[in-house]
Amino acid sequence: MRVSFDLMCQRFRSVLERQGFTAERAELCSRLFAEASRDGVYSHGLNRFPLFIDYIRNGYVRVDAEPVLAEQLGVLERWDGGSGPGNLNAHFSMNRAIELAKQHGIGCVAIRNTNHWMRAGSYGWQAAESGCIGICWTNTIPNMPPWGAKENKLGNNPIVLAVPREEGPIVLDIAMSQFSYGKMGIHAQSGEPLPVDGGFDRDGNATRDASAILETRRAMPIGFWKGSGLSFMLDLIVTMLSGGNSSMDMGKLGAERDLSQVFLAIDAGRLPDSDAIRDKIQAMIDDLHAAAPDEKGGKARFPGEETVRVRERNLRDGIPVDEALWQRVLELDA
């Protein structure tokens, strides 16, 4: 089943307005959800939307809360999200970082007491489309064991790196676990094995069985001990910069809410050698594409390259949706 992008936005917007969103905030929030599915990140678009509504009804997300400036430290600002909608808070924070970058060359916004930002890459695209190098990351509830342990103490703490480019941005969006829980949920539902080991089963064996990993909640860090260490450092830095909750703190809350996030923007337009940089970026992409394919006939792609292809297809043919989830949205709008 496929649904047009405009129809998905319309339905999301209608549901959000029923939950108390103003028309303007419902418009942006619905677009961010629909763009995630449009670009192929189904786990954080339609698939996540009903859970978002549950969080509103449970009181974890305050629909009318907007960020409030807490401290200003030069090009670094601390904001309090007031437990508002995570994607709206994140969009605001990156926009503010971009404003600071346009003024000073670089801007950093750290926000505390916010909620799940849905598709992380949205804010990398936002920065790059504004002509900025963008870096942002978030902590999460503990959902991954440190390397050498089996008890979840780390978040999978997604990070985004984005580079502006006239022909289209280059955007890397990764979690510190080999697969996000949303991605594993899709594989568990379809029964399709993960392409590589993604976690551990109840016997402590590495497995590609997403259902077994969801049962144990033992996701595998990227790069094993390296991803484990990187996850901890990202959590440490975001907690310091925001003055907010760590993954450890969220574990005590019992739900993934009141997170901490960081948004960095660097105005690439201020760099003096823009023509040389543009040529170097293209040369690097050409060199990447020229890499000999592997034994399976693969092809080297830069981060975000496939996103554009998926976006074009889904805008043309409609966005593929899980019929049961789409029906649930329709019921929320009834």
Side-chain angles (χ1 to χ4, degrees), residues 108 153 178 214 221 262 268 310 332 334:
C108 179
K153 294 292 186 180
Q178 186 66 47
L214 293 175
V262 168
V310 172
L332 288 169

Side-chain angles (χ1 to χ4, degrees), residues 12-22 26 49 52-58 61-64 332-333:
F12 286 166
R13 183 171 62 249
S14 180
V15 171
L16 293 172
E17 288 179 352
R18 288 176 182 273
Q19 296 300 318
F21 282 73
T22 64
F49 188 78
F52 177 65
I53 301 302
D54 287 344
Y55 267 48
I56 292 172
R57 291 174 173 175
N58 289 337
V61 176
R62 294 176 50 208
V63 300
D64 58 343
L332 288 169
D333 193 28

Side-chain angles (χ1 to χ4, degrees), residues 27-100:
E27 174 69 28
L28 177 56
C29 189
S30 64
R31 178 171 62 80
L32 290 168
F33 269 107
E35 285 178 348
S37 282
R38 178 202 65 187
D39 288 358
V41 190
Y42 309 110
S43 59
H44 290 71
L46 168 64
N47 296 18
R48 185 91 188 188
F49 188 78
L51 180 61
F52 177 65
I53 301 302
D54 287 344
Y55 267 48
I56 292 172
R57 291 174 173 175
N58 289 337
Y60 298 156
V61 176
R62 294 176 50 208
V63 300
D64 58 343
E66 297 188 36
V68 174
L69 181 63
E71 290 98 19
Q72 193 165 22
L73 307 166
V75 297
L76 166 64
E77 293 182 351
R78 277 181 169 181
W79 291 74
D80 192 307
S83 300
N87 55 5
L88 294 184
N89 281 350
H91 187 274
F92 168 88
S93 297
M94 181 55 85
N95 189 64
R96 180 58 187 151
I98 292 167
E99 290 176 346
L100 289 169

